[in-house]
Each structure stands twice: as C-alpha cells, then as structure tokens.
Amino acid sequence: MREVPQKQLSIVQRAGYALDSFIGFFSPASGLRRSVARTKTYAFSSYRGTLTDRRRSACSVGSGSPDADLLPNLESLRSKSRDLERNNPHARGALETHVVNVIGRGLTPQANIDYEALGISQEDARTIGKIMDKAFERWAPYADTGGRMHFDEIQRLSLHQVWLNGESVSQFPMIQKSDDPLRPYELSVEIVEAGRLETPRQFLSDRFVREGVRLGDRGQAIQFYIRRDHPGDQPRPGARQDEYYSPTSHNEFGRPNVIHLYQVRRPGQTRAEPLLAPVIDTFLQLARLQDARITRAQVSAMFALVI
C-alpha cells in the first residue's frame, strides 16, 4: 500500500492546536471541542464557500434545474436590467462599449467559394462570388422587416438584446414584391423582443413548453409561441393582447424560421439571463453610494454658506 502524504501545518495552525492543548489541560471538555472544531475547519478549507459561519449566514443557495432556478425570476431580471441600461451611466457605458467593440460598423460577409468541391474553375468562382457580394449590398439596406434599419443596425440591436434580455429572437419573414416594390429580395429579418416569447395559457400545464419554447424528445426547440403585441403595451382599442402565432424552428426545406440566440451556461437551459444579472445589485449599491456622497457634499456646501 502507498503511504498517503500528510498535510503540513502552518505555524498559525500549529499554534492553534497548542492553544487547544493548553486549554484542555485545565478543561478537557473545552479543549476537545476546540480541537474537533478546528480539525473540521481545516478539513473543509479547500472550499471555503461551503462554510456557514456568521459572515456567510446570509448566503442561501438552491439546487434546482436550470429552468427551475431561472424562469421564475426571468421577468424581474429583465426589467431591472433594462432599468439599469436606462438610468445607470456605468451599465450603459459598458453595454455600448461591448456592442461597438464586437460589431463596430457592421459585420459584412465575403463570398469565398470552394470551386474544387463544386467542380468549376477558379475564375468562375470569383465571378459568382462578386455577384453574391453585390446581391448582399443591395439587400442590406432593406434587411429590416419594418424598413427602419440597415443590416448593420440589426446586428447591433441583436447583441444589444443579448445584453439586456439575455437572448435575441430573430424571424425571417418573406415580404412579397407587391407589398414593397422597392425591396430587391423577399427575405427580411425581424428582431422580436424577448418578452413576447411566452407560453399561452392553454399550455401552462404542458411540461414540454418552457416560457414560450416547445421542446422535443431530445430537448431541442421545435416550436416557438410569440405574442402578436408586447405584454407591456398600453391597452388600446383593437390590441391583440392574447393572440399568439407559433412558428416552427425550421421549415420543410430545413431553413430556420426562428433563431433563438443566447449563451447556454447549464445543460438543458431553455432561456437565458441578462448579462447584467450578476451585477444588478452591485450597480444599485454604487448608485446609492454616489447619491449619498453628492447629497453630503450639497449639505456641506449649505452649511458653509450659512456660516
């Protein structure tokens, strides 16, 4: 049998055991309790986050599934994240800096055709590539379904949604030439607010539907339930508050109907938390601290003026 090497104790740890022995000389019961407690502390010192002493008593943890831990708190997290983006300059600056550094002026595809796999000449591949690049340049200004944004702006909005809501939902409706004669191609892109992706009432008890996403037997997303109007819209005549449409994830040709973009942090995760979620409380505390310092400075200035 191989001998297990003993863990070397530091000077402080040896001094602690010596103190326990000294106390045990006068009170054996007290010395034994101190020695046992000290041994347990050193045994679990590899993961100090598991300790439940007085300083860590406020840390309550759960052990639910990815959806059980996230979905009940998702609406509140999104609301607080959007409030930070509106009112906190530090959160707003971090968000805008990240979007600008990642997207910049926009990501533009460049055709690079594998002419050997297609069995064509290299010159023909270059010609086809130039035609594809020109087609994208014509389509990019009309990419938005609503006709408001360039394709570069759609990219920035999509990443912006990932920061604020934790996810970006995109659709690709086909717009007929008769509806928009200036549009060069029928394909368009529509960014859907994450709050519109929710479960209809009749499917609340369906275990395969998680916050507007219907899952298959393997956990894959096969269908989405999207509200016609945003749940936060002001009530108005003719509003379709409880109407949904349910596109499938892919059409019969395999083309995606919906792209649900988010970062998967745990296996089996259906939706995602905002990227600002871990720092919401920190930003709020910093904002209160800054307000308190400004108020203190104003009060001090008033006293100086009176004097």
Side-chain angles (χ1 to χ4, degrees), residues 40-194:
K40 289 182 178 180
T41 301
Y42 293 152
F44 291 100
S45 61
S46 299
Y47 292 93
R48 296 182 181 179
T50 61
L51 299 179
T52 57
D53 56 11
R54 180 175 58 84
R55 292 184 295 113
R56 302 173 178 86
S57 60
C59 180
S60 59
V61 296
S63 58
S65 67
D67 288 343
D69 287 342
L70 174 62
L71 297 184
N73 305 307
L74 186 56
E75 183 178 356
S76 177
L77 286 174
R78 287 200 299 250
S79 300
K80 292 181 178 180
S81 176
R82 290 192 291 266
D83 181 74
L84 278 181
E85 193 266 343
R86 288 191 298 264
N87 300 307
N88 191 293
H90 304 291
R92 182 70 169 266
L95 189 152
E96 294 294 341
T97 300
H98 180 80
V99 172
V100 170
N101 288 340
V102 173
I103 304 299
R105 298 180 60 184
L107 306 178
T108 304
Q110 184 177 4
N112 186 11
I113 300 176
D114 189 353
Y115 62 93
E116 295 180 348
L118 296 178
I120 60 177
S121 65
Q122 190 172 4
E123 186 63 29
D124 291 340
R126 290 197 189 98
T127 302
I128 296 174
K130 291 180 180 179
I131 295 174
M132 296 172 66
D133 292 338
K134 290 295 183 181
F136 177 80
E137 292 178 4
R138 291 184 57 200
W139 172 79
Y142 301 91
D144 183 27
T145 302
R148 299 184 181 92
M149 296 179 292
H150 191 277
F151 185 67
D152 299 337
E153 298 173 284
I154 293 177
Q155 298 175 55
R156 285 190 286 269
L157 177 60
S158 179
L159 184 57
H160 193 274
Q161 289 293 299
V162 173
W163 261 84
L164 280 186
N165 300 317
E167 53 196 347
S168 174
V169 183
S170 304
Q171 296 184 107
F172 305 96
M174 307 297 288
I175 301 178
Q176 302 298 324
K177 295 282 290 184
S178 57
D179 297 332
D180 190 353
L182 298 179
R183 186 176 295 273
Y185 305 102
E186 296 181 354
L187 177 65
S188 66
V189 181
E190 179 184 2
I191 303 296
V192 178
E193 179 79 15

Side-chain angles (χ1 to χ4, degrees), residues 228-248:
R228 297 283 183 184
D229 290 324
H230 196 281
D233 279 344
Q234 295 293 332
R236 61 186 188 276
R240 299 167 295 183
Q241 290 292 330
D242 295 326
E243 291 188 15
Y244 296 81
Y245 61 96
S246 52
T248 57

Side-chain angles (χ1 to χ4, degrees), residues 169 171 197-200 203 206 208-216 219-226 244-250 257-258 260 270-271:
V169 183
Q171 296 184 107
L197 186 62
E198 68 175 25
T199 303
F203 297 120
D206 192 336
F208 289 103
V209 180
R210 306 285 182 87
E211 281 295 319
V213 181
R214 177 173 290 278
L215 305 177
Q220 76 279 20
I222 60 176
Q223 195 173 16
F224 298 88
Y225 297 96
I226 303 175
Y244 296 81
Y245 61 96
S246 52
T248 57
S249 60
H250 295 79
N257 291 326
V258 178
H260 189 198
T270 306
R271 303 290 296 270

